[in-house]
PDB file of all heavy atoms in Angstrom:
ATOM      1  N   ARG A 233       8.861  16.311  -0.908  1.00 95.00           N
ATOM      2  CA  ARG A 233       9.651  16.038  -2.117  1.00 95.00           C
ATOM      3  C   ARG A 233       9.033  16.718  -3.333  1.00 95.00           C
ATOM      4  O   ARG A 233       9.739  17.311  -4.155  1.00 95.00           O
ATOM      5  CB  ARG A 233       9.744  14.531  -2.331  1.00 95.00           C
ATOM      6  CG  ARG A 233      10.630  14.120  -3.473  1.00 95.00           C
ATOM      7  CD  ARG A 233      10.623  12.590  -3.594  1.00 95.00           C
ATOM      8  NE  ARG A 233      11.420  12.166  -4.704  1.00 95.00           N
ATOM      9  CZ  ARG A 233      12.639  11.636  -4.607  1.00 95.00           C
ATOM     10  NH1 ARG A 233      13.174  11.463  -3.422  1.00 95.00           N
ATOM     11  NH2 ARG A 233      13.300  11.278  -5.670  1.00 95.00           N
ATOM     12  N   ALA A 239      12.181  24.528  -6.009  1.00 86.00           N
ATOM     13  CA  ALA A 239      13.373  25.339  -5.757  1.00 86.00           C
ATOM     14  C   ALA A 239      14.502  25.005  -6.724  1.00 86.00           C
ATOM     15  O   ALA A 239      15.587  25.575  -6.622  1.00 86.00           O
ATOM     16  CB  ALA A 239      13.837  25.142  -4.311  1.00 86.00           C
ATOM     17  N   PRO A 293     -17.763   0.344  -5.642  1.00 87.00           N
ATOM     18  CA  PRO A 293     -17.826  -1.101  -5.460  1.00 87.00           C
ATOM     19  C   PRO A 293     -16.477  -1.800  -5.664  1.00 87.00           C
ATOM     20  O   PRO A 293     -16.417  -3.020  -5.709  1.00 87.00           O
ATOM     21  CB  PRO A 293     -18.798  -1.528  -6.554  1.00 87.00           C
ATOM     22  CG  PRO A 293     -18.482  -0.596  -7.681  1.00 87.00           C
ATOM     23  CD  PRO A 293     -18.148   0.724  -7.017  1.00 87.00           C
TER      24      PRO A 293
END
Side-chain angles (χ1 to χ4, degrees):
R233 185 181 178 104

